[in-house]
Amino acid sequence: MVALRWPRSRGTNSMSMSHHTIMSWEKGLVRAAVVKLVEGSAELLGVASAPVQGIGDSTRPDPDRWLAGSERALSQAEDMTPRWAARKIVPDHVTMTIPSGVTRSLSVVDEIQRPNPRKPITQSELDSLLRRGYRKAQDRLDVRARGAKEDIVCGSLAYINLDGRPVTSPGGLSGDHLRLKMFFSLAPVDWIRTLEMIADRLGLEIATIIPHHVAYAAPVSDTVALVLIVDDKKTVVDLVRQGRVEWAASIDQGGDELVAGAMAHLSIPQHQIEALLRAYRAGELREDIETMMSRDYWLALRRWMSALANQVSRSGEDSFLPYRAYCYDVTGRVPEVAAALETPYWEQRLPFGRCPKVDGLDANGSQHVLDCTSQASGSTHLLLRSLACYVARLYAPGQTLDRALVDTIHWRRGA
Protein backbone atom coordinates (compact mmCIF):
# COMPACT_ATOMS: atom_id res chain seq x y z
CA MET A 1 0.00 0.00 0.00
CA VAL A 2 1.33 3.44 -0.97
CA ALA A 3 1.34 6.14 1.67
CA LEU A 4 -0.40 9.37 0.77
CA ARG A 5 1.86 12.42 0.71
CA TRP A 6 1.04 15.75 2.31
CA PRO A 7 -0.63 18.09 -0.21
CA ARG A 8 1.65 20.82 -1.44
CA SER A 9 0.88 24.41 -2.32
CA ARG A 10 -0.73 25.07 -5.69
CA GLY A 11 -0.37 27.82 -8.24
CA THR A 12 3.31 28.71 -7.82
CA ASN A 13 4.19 31.50 -10.22
CA SER A 14 6.42 30.12 -12.97
CA MET A 15 8.49 33.29 -12.91
CA SER A 16 9.58 32.56 -9.34
CA MET A 17 9.99 28.79 -9.66
CA SER A 18 13.36 27.74 -8.27
CA HIS A 19 12.91 23.97 -7.83
CA HIS A 20 11.08 21.42 -9.93
CA THR A 21 10.44 17.68 -10.01
CA ILE A 22 10.88 15.76 -13.26
CA MET A 23 9.74 12.21 -14.03
CA SER A 24 10.38 10.10 -17.12
CA TRP A 25 8.17 7.09 -17.81
CA GLU A 26 10.41 4.63 -19.64
CA LYS A 27 10.36 0.99 -20.64
CA GLY A 28 10.23 -1.02 -17.43
CA LEU A 29 10.87 1.84 -15.02
CA VAL A 30 10.16 5.38 -13.90
CA ARG A 31 12.93 7.86 -13.15
CA ALA A 32 12.52 10.86 -10.88
CA ALA A 33 14.77 13.81 -10.12
CA VAL A 34 14.65 16.99 -8.09
CA VAL A 35 16.23 19.90 -9.95
CA LYS A 36 17.26 23.40 -8.94
CA LEU A 37 16.64 25.96 -11.68
CA VAL A 38 19.30 28.64 -12.00
CA GLU A 39 19.27 31.18 -14.86
CA GLY A 40 18.44 28.68 -17.60
CA SER A 41 20.42 25.79 -16.11
CA ALA A 42 19.36 22.79 -14.05
CA GLU A 43 21.21 21.26 -11.12
CA LEU A 44 20.23 17.68 -10.31
CA LEU A 45 19.99 17.47 -6.51
CA GLY A 46 18.41 14.03 -6.28
CA VAL A 47 18.02 11.17 -8.77
CA ALA A 48 16.35 7.77 -8.40
CA SER A 49 14.45 5.13 -10.36
CA ALA A 50 12.05 2.30 -9.63
CA PRO A 51 10.86 -0.66 -11.72
CA VAL A 52 7.41 -0.31 -13.26
CA GLN A 53 5.97 -2.92 -15.59
CA GLY A 54 3.54 -2.17 -18.38
CA ILE A 55 4.90 1.13 -19.70
CA GLY A 56 4.81 1.09 -23.47
CA ASP A 57 3.14 2.11 -26.70
CA SER A 58 0.61 -0.72 -26.75
CA THR A 59 -0.30 -1.04 -23.06
CA ARG A 60 -2.96 0.74 -21.08
CA PRO A 61 -1.96 2.68 -17.96
CA ASP A 62 -1.97 0.78 -14.67
CA PRO A 63 -2.55 3.50 -12.03
CA ASP A 64 -1.92 1.40 -8.91
CA ARG A 65 1.28 -0.19 -10.17
CA TRP A 66 2.60 3.06 -11.61
CA LEU A 67 1.79 4.97 -8.42
CA ALA A 68 3.79 2.55 -6.29
CA GLY A 69 6.85 2.88 -8.53
CA SER A 70 6.67 6.67 -8.79
CA GLU A 71 6.25 7.03 -5.01
CA ARG A 72 9.39 5.00 -4.44
CA ALA A 73 11.49 6.85 -7.03
CA LEU A 74 10.33 10.28 -5.92
CA SER A 75 10.91 9.60 -2.21
CA GLN A 76 14.44 8.39 -2.87
CA ALA A 77 15.22 11.41 -5.07
CA GLU A 78 13.91 13.86 -2.45
CA ASP A 79 15.78 12.08 0.35
CA MET A 80 19.03 12.66 -1.55
CA THR A 81 18.63 16.46 -1.76
CA PRO A 82 19.95 17.39 1.74
CA ARG A 83 23.43 16.31 0.60
CA TRP A 84 23.53 19.16 -1.91
CA ALA A 85 21.18 21.68 -0.31
CA ALA A 86 20.79 23.08 3.18
CA ARG A 87 17.54 21.20 3.61
CA LYS A 88 15.35 18.56 2.00
CA ILE A 89 13.89 19.94 -1.23
CA VAL A 90 10.26 18.99 -1.96
CA PRO A 91 9.04 20.88 -5.08
CA ASP A 92 5.38 21.53 -5.84
CA HIS A 93 5.44 21.02 -9.61
CA VAL A 94 6.40 18.16 -11.87
CA THR A 95 7.06 17.81 -15.60
CA MET A 96 6.71 14.30 -17.05
CA THR A 97 7.67 12.51 -20.25
CA ILE A 98 5.61 9.79 -21.91
CA PRO A 99 6.57 7.36 -24.71
CA SER A 100 6.53 8.94 -28.15
CA GLY A 101 4.56 5.99 -29.52
CA VAL A 102 1.39 6.94 -27.64
CA THR A 103 1.46 10.53 -28.92
CA ARG A 104 0.65 12.38 -32.14
CA SER A 105 1.74 15.83 -33.29
CA LEU A 106 0.73 18.75 -35.46
CA SER A 107 2.46 21.91 -36.66
CA VAL A 108 0.44 25.10 -36.99
CA VAL A 109 1.22 28.50 -38.50
CA ASP A 110 -0.63 31.62 -37.39
CA GLU A 111 -0.01 35.07 -38.81
CA ILE A 112 -1.49 38.53 -38.86
CA GLN A 113 -1.23 41.65 -40.96
CA ARG A 114 -0.88 44.23 -38.21
CA PRO A 115 -3.29 47.18 -38.58
CA ASN A 116 -0.73 49.62 -37.20
CA PRO A 117 2.76 48.51 -38.33
CA ARG A 118 4.50 51.38 -36.54
CA LYS A 119 3.07 50.46 -33.17
CA PRO A 120 5.40 48.27 -31.04
CA ILE A 121 4.37 44.63 -30.67
CA THR A 122 2.92 43.95 -27.22
CA GLN A 123 2.87 40.82 -25.08
CA SER A 124 -0.93 40.71 -25.27
CA GLU A 125 -0.71 40.72 -29.07
CA LEU A 126 1.67 37.76 -28.97
CA ASP A 127 -0.49 35.95 -26.39
CA SER A 128 -3.47 36.36 -28.70
CA LEU A 129 -1.54 34.75 -31.57
CA LEU A 130 -0.52 31.84 -29.34
CA ARG A 131 -4.14 31.28 -28.32
CA ARG A 132 -5.27 31.40 -31.94
CA GLY A 133 -2.64 28.85 -32.92
CA TYR A 134 -3.72 26.57 -30.08
CA ARG A 135 -7.39 26.82 -31.07
CA LYS A 136 -6.47 26.11 -34.68
CA ALA A 137 -4.64 22.95 -33.57
CA GLN A 138 -7.65 21.92 -31.46
CA ASP A 139 -9.97 22.33 -34.43
CA ARG A 140 -7.75 20.36 -36.79
CA LEU A 141 -7.32 17.53 -34.29
CA ASP A 142 -10.98 17.63 -33.21
CA VAL A 143 -10.08 17.26 -29.53
CA ARG A 144 -12.82 19.56 -28.22
CA ALA A 145 -15.61 17.14 -29.10
CA ARG A 146 -17.38 15.46 -26.21
CA GLY A 147 -15.87 12.06 -25.55
CA ALA A 148 -12.61 12.79 -27.41
CA LYS A 149 -10.01 10.15 -26.59
CA GLU A 150 -6.97 12.44 -27.01
CA ASP A 151 -6.00 15.93 -25.95
CA ILE A 152 -3.15 18.36 -26.60
CA VAL A 153 -0.64 18.22 -23.74
CA CYS A 154 2.28 20.41 -24.82
CA GLY A 155 3.49 22.84 -27.43
CA SER A 156 6.58 24.69 -28.56
CA LEU A 157 7.10 27.94 -30.41
CA ALA A 158 9.47 26.92 -33.19
CA TYR A 159 10.11 30.32 -34.77
CA ILE A 160 8.81 33.86 -35.23
CA ASN A 161 9.07 35.89 -38.44
CA LEU A 162 8.54 39.63 -38.60
CA ASP A 163 8.23 41.00 -42.14
CA GLY A 164 10.00 37.89 -43.43
CA ARG A 165 12.92 38.10 -40.98
CA PRO A 166 13.43 35.64 -38.11
CA VAL A 167 13.35 37.21 -34.65
CA THR A 168 13.66 35.68 -31.21
CA SER A 169 11.94 38.37 -29.13
CA PRO A 170 9.47 40.45 -31.16
CA GLY A 171 8.11 42.29 -28.13
CA GLY A 172 8.74 46.03 -28.53
CA LEU A 173 9.63 45.76 -32.21
CA SER A 174 7.47 47.23 -34.96
CA GLY A 175 6.49 45.72 -38.28
CA ASP A 176 3.72 44.84 -40.67
CA HIS A 177 3.50 41.04 -40.93
CA LEU A 178 3.92 38.77 -37.91
CA ARG A 179 4.13 34.98 -38.36
CA LEU A 180 4.47 32.27 -35.69
CA LYS A 181 5.00 28.55 -36.20
CA MET A 182 3.95 26.28 -33.32
CA PHE A 183 4.25 22.56 -32.69
CA PHE A 184 1.72 20.65 -30.58
CA SER A 185 1.69 17.11 -29.16
CA LEU A 186 -1.39 15.21 -28.04
CA ALA A 187 -1.74 12.11 -25.86
CA PRO A 188 -4.50 9.63 -24.97
CA VAL A 189 -6.88 10.90 -22.31
CA ASP A 190 -6.45 7.74 -20.24
CA TRP A 191 -2.71 8.42 -20.02
CA ILE A 192 -3.35 12.06 -19.10
CA ARG A 193 -5.85 11.25 -16.35
CA THR A 194 -3.65 8.47 -14.94
CA LEU A 195 -0.65 10.79 -14.68
CA GLU A 196 -2.85 13.48 -13.12
CA MET A 197 -4.10 11.00 -10.53
CA ILE A 198 -0.56 9.89 -9.72
CA ALA A 199 0.61 13.48 -9.39
CA ASP A 200 -2.32 14.29 -7.09
CA ARG A 201 -1.53 11.31 -4.88
CA LEU A 202 2.11 12.42 -4.76
CA GLY A 203 1.07 15.94 -3.79
CA LEU A 204 2.34 17.40 -7.06
CA GLU A 205 0.86 19.59 -9.76
CA ILE A 206 1.75 18.66 -13.34
CA ALA A 207 3.25 21.62 -15.18
CA THR A 208 3.33 19.86 -18.53
CA ILE A 209 3.61 16.44 -20.19
CA ILE A 210 5.94 15.97 -23.17
CA PRO A 211 6.73 13.05 -25.49
CA HIS A 212 10.16 11.44 -25.25
CA HIS A 213 11.27 12.77 -28.64
CA VAL A 214 10.49 16.36 -27.60
CA ALA A 215 12.63 15.92 -24.48
CA TYR A 216 15.52 14.39 -26.43
CA ALA A 217 15.52 17.43 -28.73
CA ALA A 218 15.81 19.96 -25.90
CA PRO A 219 19.65 19.96 -25.50
CA VAL A 220 20.26 20.37 -29.26
CA SER A 221 21.41 23.98 -29.51
CA ASP A 222 22.02 24.13 -33.28
CA THR A 223 20.20 26.81 -35.22
CA VAL A 224 18.49 24.00 -37.11
CA ALA A 225 19.10 20.24 -37.10
CA LEU A 226 17.39 16.90 -37.49
CA VAL A 227 17.04 14.63 -34.45
CA LEU A 228 16.27 10.94 -35.02
CA ILE A 229 15.18 8.67 -32.17
CA VAL A 230 15.11 4.93 -32.86
CA ASP A 231 13.02 2.85 -30.44
CA ASP A 232 12.05 -0.82 -30.51
CA LYS A 233 9.12 -0.43 -32.91
CA LYS A 234 9.17 3.21 -33.94
CA THR A 235 11.49 5.88 -35.33
CA VAL A 236 10.78 9.59 -34.89
CA VAL A 237 12.58 12.36 -36.77
CA ASP A 238 12.20 15.98 -35.62
CA LEU A 239 13.23 19.22 -37.23
CA VAL A 240 14.64 21.13 -34.27
CA ARG A 241 15.47 24.81 -33.91
CA GLN A 242 17.60 25.54 -30.83
CA GLY A 243 16.01 22.75 -28.85
CA ARG A 244 12.42 23.40 -29.97
CA VAL A 245 10.62 20.99 -32.29
CA GLU A 246 9.16 22.54 -35.45
CA TRP A 247 7.69 19.37 -36.95
CA ALA A 248 7.91 15.63 -36.41
CA ALA A 249 7.62 12.59 -38.66
CA SER A 250 7.52 8.96 -37.59
CA ILE A 251 7.39 5.45 -38.99
CA ASP A 252 6.38 2.17 -37.37
CA GLN A 253 9.83 0.70 -37.91
CA GLY A 254 12.54 0.56 -35.28
CA GLY A 255 15.27 -1.59 -33.86
CA ASP A 256 13.19 -4.77 -33.83
CA GLU A 257 12.52 -4.64 -37.57
CA LEU A 258 16.14 -3.77 -38.41
CA VAL A 259 17.44 -6.70 -36.38
CA ALA A 260 14.86 -9.01 -37.94
CA GLY A 261 16.00 -7.83 -41.37
CA ALA A 262 19.62 -8.63 -40.56
CA MET A 263 18.54 -12.16 -39.60
CA ALA A 264 16.32 -12.65 -42.65
CA HIS A 265 18.20 -15.71 -43.99
CA LEU A 266 19.35 -17.17 -40.68
CA SER A 267 17.40 -19.62 -38.54
CA ILE A 268 18.48 -18.33 -35.15
CA PRO A 269 16.57 -18.89 -31.89
CA GLN A 270 15.41 -15.66 -30.28
CA HIS A 271 17.64 -16.10 -27.24
CA GLN A 272 20.78 -16.29 -29.41
CA ILE A 273 20.21 -13.19 -31.52
CA GLU A 274 22.07 -10.77 -29.24
CA ALA A 275 25.10 -13.08 -29.06
CA LEU A 276 25.11 -13.37 -32.85
CA LEU A 277 25.01 -9.57 -33.21
CA ARG A 278 27.98 -9.23 -30.86
CA ALA A 279 29.92 -11.82 -32.84
CA TYR A 280 29.03 -10.05 -36.10
CA ARG A 281 30.31 -6.70 -34.86
CA ALA A 282 33.47 -8.32 -33.48
CA GLY A 283 34.21 -9.97 -36.84
CA GLU A 284 34.01 -13.46 -35.34
CA LEU A 285 31.55 -15.04 -37.81
CA ARG A 286 32.35 -17.26 -40.74
CA GLU A 287 32.96 -15.20 -43.87
CA ASP A 288 29.90 -16.47 -45.73
CA ILE A 289 27.62 -15.81 -42.73
CA GLU A 290 29.07 -12.35 -42.21
CA THR A 291 28.63 -11.49 -45.90
CA MET A 292 25.01 -12.64 -45.87
CA MET A 293 24.23 -10.72 -42.68
CA SER A 294 25.89 -7.57 -44.01
CA ARG A 295 23.84 -7.74 -47.20
CA ASP A 296 20.55 -8.36 -45.40
CA TYR A 297 21.25 -5.71 -42.78
CA TRP A 298 22.03 -3.12 -45.44
CA LEU A 299 18.80 -3.95 -47.27
CA ALA A 300 16.88 -3.52 -44.00
CA LEU A 301 18.60 -0.18 -43.36
CA ARG A 302 17.71 0.96 -46.88
CA ARG A 303 14.04 0.06 -46.37
CA TRP A 304 14.11 1.96 -43.07
CA MET A 305 15.71 5.05 -44.64
CA SER A 306 13.28 5.01 -47.58
CA ALA A 307 10.28 4.86 -45.24
CA LEU A 308 11.74 7.70 -43.15
CA ALA A 309 12.40 9.83 -46.22
CA ASN A 310 8.83 9.39 -47.42
CA GLN A 311 7.45 10.57 -44.08
CA VAL A 312 9.87 13.48 -43.84
CA SER A 313 8.89 14.60 -47.34
CA ARG A 314 5.25 14.70 -46.22
CA SER A 315 6.01 16.58 -43.00
CA GLY A 316 8.70 19.04 -44.06
CA GLU A 317 7.75 22.25 -45.80
CA ASP A 318 11.21 23.50 -46.72
CA SER A 319 12.85 22.98 -50.08
CA PHE A 320 16.00 21.79 -48.27
CA LEU A 321 16.82 20.11 -45.00
CA PRO A 322 19.70 20.71 -42.59
CA TYR A 323 22.63 18.40 -43.21
CA ARG A 324 23.35 18.41 -39.46
CA ALA A 325 21.67 15.54 -37.62
CA TYR A 326 21.72 13.75 -34.28
CA CYS A 327 20.72 10.13 -33.90
CA TYR A 328 20.04 8.11 -30.77
CA ASP A 329 19.40 4.38 -30.69
CA VAL A 330 17.27 3.91 -27.57
CA THR A 331 17.40 0.13 -27.98
CA GLY A 332 21.20 -0.11 -28.03
CA ARG A 333 20.78 -2.91 -30.60
CA VAL A 334 21.28 -1.04 -33.91
CA PRO A 335 24.22 1.38 -33.53
CA GLU A 336 24.81 1.17 -37.30
CA VAL A 337 21.87 3.52 -37.98
CA ALA A 338 24.01 6.62 -37.44
CA ALA A 339 26.58 5.51 -40.01
CA ALA A 340 23.79 4.59 -42.46
CA LEU A 341 22.51 8.17 -42.29
CA GLU A 342 25.87 9.44 -43.59
CA THR A 343 25.77 7.29 -46.73
CA PRO A 344 25.00 8.56 -50.26
CA TYR A 345 21.81 6.47 -50.16
CA TRP A 346 20.31 8.65 -47.40
CA GLU A 347 21.75 11.85 -48.87
CA GLN A 348 19.99 11.17 -52.17
CA ARG A 349 16.62 10.46 -50.58
CA LEU A 350 16.08 14.05 -49.38
CA PRO A 351 17.20 17.60 -50.37
CA PHE A 352 20.06 18.09 -47.92
CA GLY A 353 22.28 20.17 -50.16
CA ARG A 354 25.42 18.43 -48.92
CA CYS A 355 26.52 15.17 -47.30
CA PRO A 356 24.75 14.72 -43.93
CA LYS A 357 26.86 14.89 -40.78
CA VAL A 358 25.45 12.70 -38.01
CA ASP A 359 26.43 12.62 -34.34
CA GLY A 360 25.02 10.78 -31.37
CA LEU A 361 23.21 12.44 -28.51
CA ASP A 362 25.51 12.70 -25.49
CA ALA A 363 24.07 12.35 -21.99
CA ASN A 364 26.79 14.66 -20.68
CA GLY A 365 26.74 16.99 -23.66
CA SER A 366 24.40 19.68 -22.34
CA GLN A 367 26.18 22.57 -20.67
CA HIS A 368 22.92 23.52 -18.96
CA VAL A 369 22.59 20.42 -16.76
CA LEU A 370 24.85 19.85 -13.74
CA ASP A 371 24.60 16.48 -12.02
CA CYS A 372 25.43 17.17 -8.39
CA THR A 373 24.66 13.56 -7.49
CA SER A 374 27.12 11.99 -10.00
CA GLN A 375 24.45 9.29 -10.47
CA ALA A 376 22.85 10.41 -13.72
CA SER A 377 25.64 9.76 -16.20
CA GLY A 378 25.61 7.50 -19.23
CA SER A 379 23.04 6.83 -21.92
CA THR A 380 20.55 5.33 -19.46
CA HIS A 381 19.97 8.82 -18.03
CA LEU A 382 19.95 10.69 -21.34
CA LEU A 383 16.16 11.11 -21.31
CA LEU A 384 16.08 12.39 -17.73
CA ARG A 385 18.91 14.87 -18.33
CA SER A 386 17.28 16.02 -21.56
CA LEU A 387 14.05 16.60 -19.63
CA ALA A 388 15.98 18.65 -17.08
CA CYS A 389 17.34 20.76 -19.94
CA TYR A 390 13.81 21.29 -21.28
CA VAL A 391 12.51 22.45 -17.90
CA ALA A 392 15.52 24.72 -17.31
CA ARG A 393 14.94 26.52 -20.60
CA LEU A 394 11.18 26.75 -20.12
CA TYR A 395 11.57 28.56 -16.79
CA ALA A 396 14.64 30.58 -17.74
CA PRO A 397 14.45 34.37 -17.47
CA GLY A 398 13.10 35.91 -20.64
CA GLN A 399 11.27 32.80 -21.93
CA THR A 400 7.87 34.40 -21.53
CA LEU A 401 6.52 33.18 -24.88
CA ASP A 402 7.41 29.55 -24.21
CA ARG A 403 5.70 29.70 -20.83
CA ALA A 404 2.72 31.58 -22.26
CA LEU A 405 2.17 28.79 -24.77
CA VAL A 406 2.40 26.12 -22.04
CA ASP A 407 -0.08 28.07 -19.92
CA THR A 408 -2.44 28.39 -22.90
CA ILE A 409 -2.82 24.61 -23.27
CA HIS A 410 -5.72 23.41 -21.12
CA TRP A 411 -5.65 19.63 -20.84
CA ARG A 412 -6.01 19.54 -17.05
CA ARG A 413 -9.23 18.50 -15.36
CA GLY A 414 -11.59 21.42 -15.02
CA ALA A 415 -9.35 23.71 -17.07
Side-chain angles (χ1 to χ4, degrees):
M1 181 176 179
V2 178
L4 289 176
R5 300 163 65 85
W6 190 258
R8 311 179 191 199
S9 61
R10 298 298 193 212
T12 300
N13 190 316
S14 61
M15 294 294 289
S16 62
M17 188 176 295
S18 59
H19 294 89
H20 203 87
T21 296
I22 57 175
M23 300 181 96
S24 61
W25 298 92
E26 306 174 33
K27 183 180 179 181
L29 57 81
V30 59
R31 298 188 195 276
V34 176
V35 300
K36 179 180 179 181
L37 305 178
V38 184
E39 300 291 324
S41 296
E43 298 177 6
L44 301 180
L45 304 181
V47 175
S49 64
V52 177
Q53 298 304 314
I55 300 175
D57 300 352
S58 59
T59 56
R60 293 181 64 84
D62 187 336
D64 293 333
R65 184 179 296 174
W66 293 13
L67 175 60
S70 58
E71 167 74 21
R72 177 180 171 187
L74 180 58
S75 295
Q76 291 178 0
E78 291 177 346
D79 289 344
M80 192 182 294
T81 59
R83 304 179 195 175
W84 323 109
R87 57 182 175 82
K88 182 176 179 178
I89 304 299
V90 182
D92 295 324
H93 292 77
V94 62
T95 293
M96 298 183 177
T97 66
I98 58 175
S100 302
V102 303
T103 68
R104 291 195 295 137
S105 61
L106 175 71
S107 295
V108 169
V109 173
D110 200 15
E111 52 193 330
I112 57 169
Q113 204 73 22
R114 304 182 66 234
N116 191 346
R118 295 185 179 181
K119 185 178 179 180
I121 297 170
T122 64
Q123 183 63 44
S124 61
E125 189 175 354
L126 294 169
D127 289 345
S128 176
L129 271 176
L130 295 176
R131 288 192 296 270
R132 279 178 34 172
Y134 172 54
R135 288 196 297 269
K136 186 181 293 187
Q138 286 181 307
D139 291 340
R140 289 188 186 176
L141 295 167
D142 195 25
V143 296
R144 286 194 277 191
R146 183 179 295 275
K149 295 183 178 180
E150 295 175 300
D151 203 356
I152 296 173
V153 289
C154 72
S156 63
L157 179 56
Y159 67 74
I160 307 170
N161 275 15
L162 180 61
D163 293 339
R165 301 186 305 273
V167 295
T168 54
S169 301
L173 301 179
S174 57
D176 181 41
H177 186 257
L178 188 59
R179 187 173 190 262
L180 278 64
K181 185 161 189 181
M182 291 158 273
F183 172 84
F184 295 97
S185 297
L186 68 162
V189 170
D190 58 348
W191 273 78
I192 297 172
R193 298 301 170 239
T194 296
L195 297 183
E196 273 193 305
M197 182 277 292
I198 290 172
D200 286 343
R201 293 287 296 273
L202 296 176
L204 292 166
E205 182 176 358
I206 300 181
T208 189
I209 301 170
I210 65 172
H212 286 181
H213 70 97
V214 174
Y216 281 124
V220 177
S221 59
D222 299 58
T223 303
V224 60
L226 293 178
V227 176
L228 294 98
I229 307 298
V230 184
D231 216 322
D232 290 325
K233 301 185 182 303
K234 195 178 190 73
T235 301
V236 181
V237 55
D238 296 334
L239 183 73
V240 178
R241 296 183 185 273
Q242 296 181 319
R244 298 168 179 85
V245 178
E246 178 179 333
W247 54 255
S250 66
I251 59 172
D252 292 328
Q253 297 179 31
D256 288 353
E257 184 157 331
L258 289 172
V259 170
M263 307 291 167
H265 291 90
L266 296 173
S267 299
I268 301 296
Q270 189 70 26
H271 68 277
Q272 293 182 2
I273 289 179
E274 299 305 321
L276 182 64
L277 287 171
R278 288 193 296 270
Y280 168 72
R281 292 178 179 122
E284 297 172 351
L285 297 178
R286 263 180 19 213
E287 184 177 354
D288 58 331
I289 300 296
E290 181 177 345
T291 299
M292 183 169 56
M293 272 192 68
S294 296
R295 183 192 65 233
D296 290 342
Y297 196 7
W298 174 238
L299 289 174
L301 286 166
R302 287 179 55 170
R303 289 193 297 270
W304 173 75
M305 287 187 284
S306 293
L308 266 183
N310 289 337
Q311 283 300 104
V312 169
S313 296
R314 295 189 187 102
S315 301
E317 299 176 357
D318 299 327
S319 58
F320 70 95
L321 290 169
Y323 72 94
R324 195 79 170 87
Y326 296 86
C327 183
Y328 179 54
D329 168 27
V330 179
T331 72
R333 305 175 70 205
V334 287
E336 293 80 8
V337 291
L341 295 170
E342 290 187 320
T343 62
Y345 185 86
W346 175 244
E347 180 184 0
Q348 293 163 11
R349 302 279 76 74
L350 292 165
F352 290 110
R354 57 174 290 186
C355 181
K357 176 173 172 48
V358 183
D359 286 320
L361 291 176
D362 182 6
N364 303 315
S366 175
Q367 300 177 350
H368 300 289
V369 178
L370 173 64
D371 178 19
C372 299
T373 70
S374 300
Q375 307 210 3
S377 60
S379 59
T380 56
H381 286 84
L382 175 60
L383 180 58
L384 190 75
R385 294 178 68 114
S386 298
L387 179 57
C389 185
Y390 172 92
V391 172
R393 186 187 67 230
L394 180 62
Y395 295 104
Q399 300 300 321
T400 54
L401 289 179
D402 286 340
R403 289 194 296 272
L405 182 57
V406 169
D407 292 341
T408 296
I409 299 170
H410 297 302
W411 50 266
R412 301 164 186 82
R413 273 191 303 247

